[in-house]
Amino acid sequence: MAIDIGGTKIAGALVHADGTMTDTTRRATPRGADADGVMAAVAEVVAELSASPLWDSAVRCGIGSAGPVDTSRGTVSPVNIGAWRDFPVQERVAAELAARGADLPTVLAGDGVAMTAAEHWLGAARGHANALCMVVSTGVGGGLVLNGRLHPGPTGNAGHIGHMSVAFDGDPCVCGGRGCVESIASGTAIARWAREQGWTPVARDGAPDGPDATAAGVAAAAAQGDPVARAAYDRAGRALAAAIAATATLVETDIAVVGGGVAAAGDTLFGPIRAHLAQYATLGFVEELRVVPASLGTHAGLIGAAAAATMLLPGA
């Protein structure tokens, strides 16, 4: 059983041993609701899953959530769900399951760790014993697989590459640090830096809402040769390359899988990452490090929640 909780949607599915999903359901994440109001939407997802004839076949439950998370306590404080601060989501979900006859072992994973579990199980990191997987979107998150095992760390935040500092004199980050990858390479940071350097958003063909001032708009401009837009993605790619190389040097990962909305820019992002990686991954044991796009797309959240449950609750 998989539950995926984010700022815009709460989804659930029953996930089979081969990764196929059935009985998929979703609800919009309530806006303006209190903590119990948001949990009510999660409960609705659980209730709908419980109507499945396969409900009694479930053996474990994985919960993937936007963070920050603290898996040691089973709590979440998602940036994009303001009503939840230190919310005991794992305990509350387990109670909902038990109330419907499914007294299952449960596990909580942050969305970066869930994405990592998914890509290692069925995606671009499959077959790699040591991998870094990243989500580059509004923020930058990630997770690690080491020696073939998911490595979430004591609180579930190991591999949170977005808050690795790559610019000691860089801008302050929302986390309180300085020069973090997220403050340079997130979609928000790319668009902000481009505008500060004089880039002017333009309306894209078919866009109903006027000029596109997002990272996607910057990517479109970069693909058309705009020098400031290209510089914004080069800057982001360099920050990501430095962090990827540092991680690989520390724990000997041999592949970095990059997903999320910013990764949809394709070679506009991956070209600079790979070009700059050669400057940072210079030791012999990391020279073969590869950077590839994630392959599971929008399915990564639910597949990842299920994969995390399988990898972290193997005896369930």
Side-chain angles (χ1 to χ4, degrees):
M1 194 176 306
I3 297 173
D4 178 28
I5 300 169
T8 59
K9 60 117 175 46
I10 297 166
L14 300 179
V15 183
H16 299 254
D18 62 356
T20 56
M21 296 188 295
T22 56
D23 301 284
T24 304
T25 183
R26 62 186 292 167
R27 295 288 188 279
T29 304
R31 298 289 184 186
D34 62 10
D36 286 336
V38 178
M39 185 62 210
V42 179
E44 289 176 8
V45 166
V46 173
E48 189 164 333
L49 290 176
S50 71
S52 168
L54 297 173
W55 175 256
D56 292 335
S57 301
V59 294
R60 58 180 69 87
C61 176
I63 307 160
S65 176
V69 304
D70 184 344
T71 58
S72 67
R73 299 167 55 221
T75 61
V76 297
S77 302
V79 172
N80 49 10
I81 305 178
W84 277 6
R85 291 295 173 265
D86 293 321
F87 185 77
V89 67
Q90 185 172 344
E91 177 185 335
R92 294 288 296 271
V93 168
E96 291 292 334
L97 297 176
R100 291 170 174 79
D103 190 8
L104 302 179
T106 64
V107 69
L108 171 65
D111 50 7
V113 171
M115 176 265 194
T116 299
E119 291 290 338
H120 183 256
W121 181 24
L122 296 173
R126 188 174 186 176
H128 291 264
N130 300 285
L132 165 69
C133 298
M134 305 172 62
V135 179
V136 184
S137 186
T138 305
V140 178
L144 291 165
V145 171
L146 300 177
N147 298 322
R149 298 175 63 88
L150 193 64
H151 181 75
T155 66
N157 292 288
H160 199 343
I161 194 169
H163 295 290
M164 178 183 292
S165 178
V166 293
F168 296 144
D169 297 320
D171 293 335
C173 180
V174 293
C175 74
R178 181 175 290 276
C180 294
V181 174
E182 183 172 301
S183 70
I184 300 170
S186 70
T188 305
I190 290 170
R192 182 180 62 247
W193 187 87
R195 292 193 302 270
E196 289 172 350
Q197 302 306 308
W199 173 69
T200 302
V202 297
R204 287 189 286 165
D205 291 343
D209 300 322
D212 185 351
T214 68
V218 179
Q224 295 172 1
D226 184 291
V228 174
R230 293 181 65 179
Y233 269 87
D234 184 77
R235 180 173 179 266
R238 184 176 183 182
L240 291 166
I244 289 167
T247 302
T249 302
L250 185 66
V251 295
E252 291 198 58
T253 53
D254 60 7
I255 191 169
V257 178
V258 183
V262 175
D267 286 344
T268 298
L269 178 68
F270 284 93
I273 293 175
R274 291 167 179 150
H276 287 295
L277 192 64
Q279 299 175 338
Y280 297 106
T282 57
L283 294 173
F285 64 92
V286 292
E287 284 183 337
E288 301 302 316
L289 175 63
R290 296 171 54 222
V291 179
V292 301
S295 64
L296 296 178
T298 57
H299 298 299
L302 286 169
I303 292 174
T310 300
M311 297 174 80
L312 299 175
L313 297 169

